[in-house]
Amino acid sequence: MKTSLMTAAAGALAVAGCTAPQTEALSFAADVQGTWLTDGYGNLLVIRPDAVDLYDFLPGVCVPVDSTSDDPELADLVREIGIRRQDEALEIRLPLETHMRRARRLPSLPDTCGSPPDKSPGGVVEAAIRFFETHYAFMDLHGVDWPTRKRVARSAVRANMGEGELFELLTEMLGDIPDGHLGLTDDDGFVTRSFSPNSGPTTEALFPPGISERTRERRGDRFFGAYWTQTVPEQVLEGAGTRVANDRIQYGLLDGDVGYLAIITMGGYTEKETVAAELAVLNDALDEALTAFETAGVRAVLLDLSVNLGGLDQVATAIAARFATEPMRAYTKWAADAEMPVRTEKIVTPSGAVRFSGPVHLLTSDLTISAAEIATMALRALPQTVHHGSATNGSLSDILEKRLPNGWTLELSNEVYLDHTGAHWEGPGIPPDQPIEMFDLSTLDGDHSAAVRTVLDHIRAAAPARR
């Protein structure tokens, strides 16, 4: 899941062990009550009989995140996760997720957490430095000179600096690290600046340095809007496609005998912010699309993830399961900031619903991001998949969110993902088997129909018509 354990927005946090149904008050069993600290991730949980308090914690830094006693929406989300006592540890799993976080019991709430965090500019910068150097996984990968960066940041702090200056100081400390999962949001949750230095050639051309925020929005609306509302439905599907899943999925036939399935996000299919609800809508959409392909007797399926902005890993692997013919290892992941990392091996098993077992042609670009890259890894593990296009974005780790003392949220990468061969693609992205130039960077109109036609030519040369 490309969200933090502490994020309530996108179905992120939940802590279970709850025995009450959703319509009743929270109730936690006696053996899970107490103070717990995860190994890695820096999540401190205080589980009370009828509520849980959350903190972002390091020795010397403790920032309250939220409490279910004050947030009914968070309390609803807390019921979704799986938690169990295993010897002297808690095992915490997000809904329908195989990866586990292990927490150890603390004798009491650390003294640091009993006082309000230091909200001064110096306190905010120090917390950001500590969180980043403790949890960030890719200093060496990106050649980050962290001692110099934090020394410069500390020397620039002034007691009377304004919020704008402080925000700029933090973004300068992190802003040119080539990681698409770095970010900073203000205390209202409004994204005043997000880091995309690992955005790749398409967004580098789309959003050159120095353009205004208004120009950035206008250029983004033009490119992504044209891609999804013109190129895919009109130039690729020639007006004969179908839109489903909250307009996040389009499908149809190309030249009558190739199934085409375009997915622009790994989630956002329903207003219900739960993994189960997202998967239910996804499964209905895939049943519909794959049944149409089966009826048409398609020779192959072209799965277009060339613009997919990510979402849920569970959605990504559920898509791959619709093309799997036998159990396959999709990836292995672990938290690089843990002392004793829990290594999770994700196995994709064939779905019991409608499946397609013929050739799969996957199309990606540098706008194939995050959970879409998890789908790419899972699909590449299948022997019938051919990967076309350009390398993915290279932002595979889940986003770990850390609340700063003034309410801002720092986003960073703390997990390592390896594909089925043991290869690590964080940073450079996942390269295709068949490289294709995806977008005309001189026009930036979202048109990739020439790339789709190139894949179709490959399909015709490689896959006979089904009888």
Side-chain angles (χ1 to χ4, degrees):
M1 180 178 290
K2 296 298 180 265
T3 49
S4 162
L5 181 66
M6 295 298 184
T7 304
L13 168 75
V15 180
C18 306
T19 58
Q22 186 164 338
T23 55
E24 298 181 11
L26 290 173
S27 176
F28 292 94
D31 66 341
V32 303
Q33 294 174 29
T35 303
W36 302 88
L37 178 63
T38 58
D39 183 16
Y41 303 96
N43 306 138
L44 182 68
L45 301 85
V46 179
I47 301 177
R48 296 182 275 122
D50 57 357
V52 56
D53 300 328
L54 309 173
Y55 299 83
D56 281 329
F57 176 80
L58 287 173
V61 180
C62 186
V63 182
V65 175
D66 227 325
S67 172
T68 58
S69 61
D70 300 323
D71 188 342
E73 189 171 314
L74 178 62
D76 286 342
L77 291 171
V78 161
R79 296 177 174 89
E80 293 178 34
I81 153 177
I83 179 170
R84 68 168 184 163
R85 173 84 173 271
Q86 182 68 16
D87 297 326
E88 291 304 310
L90 284 188
E91 295 182 351
I92 304 169
R93 298 177 192 269
L94 291 170
L96 302 176
E97 174 62 83
T98 55
H99 186 61
M100 178 185 69
R101 302 184 189 189
R102 184 177 289 118
R104 62 183 175 86
R105 186 187 289 278
L106 301 182
S108 61
L109 186 69
D111 291 341
T112 312
C113 301
S115 303
D118 182 0
K119 297 182 180 181
S120 70
V124 172
V125 170
E126 196 60 33
I129 288 172
R130 292 286 313 285
F131 283 139
F132 194 82
E133 66 188 6
T134 299
H135 297 295
Y136 188 65
F138 305 116
M139 297 280 199
D140 292 340
L141 175 68
H142 297 307
V144 178
D145 182 359
W146 186 243
T148 297
R149 286 176 182 262
K150 66 181 180 181
R151 183 177 67 251
V152 169
R154 283 169 172 158
S155 67
V157 174
R158 292 180 293 104
N160 62 345
M161 67 192 314
E163 285 193 353
E165 293 177 286
L166 179 59
F167 198 96
E168 186 65 24
L169 187 157
L170 291 177
T171 58
E172 287 178 356
M173 184 175 73
L174 306 173
D176 64 348
I177 297 174
D179 186 329
H181 275 163
L182 291 180
L184 186 68
T185 59
D186 71 12
D187 53 350
D188 293 324
F190 178 74
V191 180
T192 56
R193 178 172 178 178
S194 60
F195 304 109
S196 300
N198 194 28
S199 53
T202 304
T203 47
E204 287 173 3
L206 190 60
F207 307 123
I211 64 172
S212 67
E213 187 63 29
R214 183 175 181 180
T215 300
R216 183 182 181 90
E217 291 177 2
R218 185 167 60 247
R219 290 168 70 95
D221 289 345
R222 172 189 168 194
F223 180 90
F224 293 106
Y227 171 87
W228 197 242
T229 65
Q230 297 174 33
T231 296
V232 170
E234 300 301 329
Q235 283 138 277
V236 175
L237 288 169
E238 298 181 336
T242 300
R243 300 188 188 201
V244 291
N246 197 24
D247 197 25
R248 303 300 179 94
I249 297 175
Q250 298 188 53
Y251 73 88
L253 299 176
L254 304 182
D255 296 346
D257 65 351
V258 173
Y260 176 82
L261 181 64
I263 304 174
I264 199 167
T265 55
M266 295 294 168
Y269 308 140
T270 172
E271 298 302 318
K272 299 178 181 179
E273 295 182 347
T274 69
V275 177
E278 295 283 3
L279 290 174
V281 177
L282 171 73
N283 285 325
D284 287 345
L286 294 178
D287 283 347
E288 185 179 311
L290 295 179
T291 297
F293 297 164
E294 185 176 62
T295 301
V298 299
R299 68 170 76 194
V301 168
L302 196 168
L303 179 54
D304 192 346
L305 303 182
S306 58
V307 175
N308 188 297
L309 306 181
L312 300 171
D313 286 0
Q314 298 95 320
V315 167
T317 53
I319 292 168
R322 293 302 189 105
F323 301 96
T325 57
E326 60 182 351
M328 299 290 291
R329 184 178 68 221
Y331 59 81
T332 304
K333 67 176 281 189
W334 66 90
D337 56 348
E339 293 182 8
M340 300 180 64
V342 177
R343 292 182 177 246
T344 296
E345 185 179 79
K346 175 61 179 177
I347 305 297
V348 172
T349 58
S351 170
V354 185
R355 289 187 295 117
F356 178 79
S357 59
V360 177
H361 294 263
L362 173 66
L363 188 59
T364 71
S365 79
D366 56 304
L367 298 177
T368 306
I369 302 171
S370 196
E373 300 181 87
I374 306 309
T376 299
M377 286 196 297
L379 289 158
R380 283 168 56 96
L382 309 180
Q384 72 271 34
T385 298
V386 180
H387 181 190
H388 306 261
S390 57
T392 64
N393 186 264
S395 300
L396 284 83
S397 169
D398 286 6
I399 298 173
L400 178 64
E401 295 189 352
K402 294 283 109 183
R403 186 72 59 87
L404 300 180
N406 63 347
W408 293 350
T409 301
L410 174 68
E411 299 175 350
L412 52 86
S413 306
N414 76 312
E415 292 178 332
V416 175
Y417 279 77
L418 303 183
D419 73 6
H420 68 290
T421 69
H424 180 228
W425 299 115
E426 190 81 31
I430 306 168
D433 305 313
Q434 301 287 336
I436 302 173
E437 183 176 344
M438 291 302 302
F439 301 103
D440 183 351
L441 300 184
S442 66
T443 63
L444 292 172
D445 59 1
D447 186 359
H448 73 316
S449 56
V452 172
R453 179 54 56 181
T454 298
V455 177
L456 278 175
D457 292 342
H458 181 96
I459 291 172
R460 301 234 174 276
R466 299 179 74 189
R467 299 183 183 276

